[in-house]
Amino acid sequence: MEPMKPMAPMKPMEPMKPMEPMKGSEPWWPQELGQPSTSGGQNDMRYAFFPDKHRLLVETDGKLTTYDSGDHQISGVSQSNGRAPSFSSQNGDVNVNDLKVVG
């Protein structure tokens, strides 16, 4: 059996680089809309709802669409494979295709 060799000394640690700000901290919606009451996303879709402006913004695959939410108070989203997302409101589920596109 060979005798064990002594461990090589450890190299000194390199100084840490300052942390970069996390990507995504900047709002992706127009600032004039203010803060959304709810926002989120899943898969390749994200949304933000602005009740004071009656606007629902949906971004799918990098394409932003603005909808007039009417009297709906959006509180969440559900998505089925390949189908347009549905949003939960006080009136029940609302299909995004049933809302008027305004931008």
Side-chain angles (χ1 to χ4, degrees):
M1 210 169 157
E2 288 182 32
M4 286 182 68
K5 295 180 182 165
M7 256 179 78
M10 287 181 69
K11 292 180 183 165
M13 280 183 68
E14 291 184 23
M16 286 181 69
K17 293 179 183 158
M19 280 186 69
E20 305 232 343
M22 283 181 65
K23 196 172 168 73
S25 58
E26 282 294 307
W28 54 270
W29 51 82
Q31 291 302 291
E32 63 268 15
L33 290 176
Q35 279 298 108
S37 64
T38 184
S39 65
Q42 58 191 75
N43 306 330
D44 294 327
M45 188 274 299
R46 60 184 175 175
Y47 74 96
F49 172 61
F50 303 87
D52 298 344
K53 309 269 195 224
H54 303 280
R55 293 293 178 260
L56 172 67
L57 272 62
V58 179
E59 188 181 79
T60 308
D61 298 323
K63 181 181 181 281
L64 183 63
T65 306
T66 303
Y67 298 91
D68 182 342
S69 60
D71 66 346
H72 296 290
Q73 295 295 313
I74 305 292
S75 58
V77 65
S78 64
Q79 215 178 0
S80 298
N81 284 345
R83 281 198 247 132
S86 289
F87 291 89
S88 307
S89 88
Q90 82 282 17
N91 301 324
D93 286 350
V94 184
N95 188 300
V96 75
N97 292 330
D98 294 337
L99 297 175
K100 183 180 173 191
V101 174
V102 290

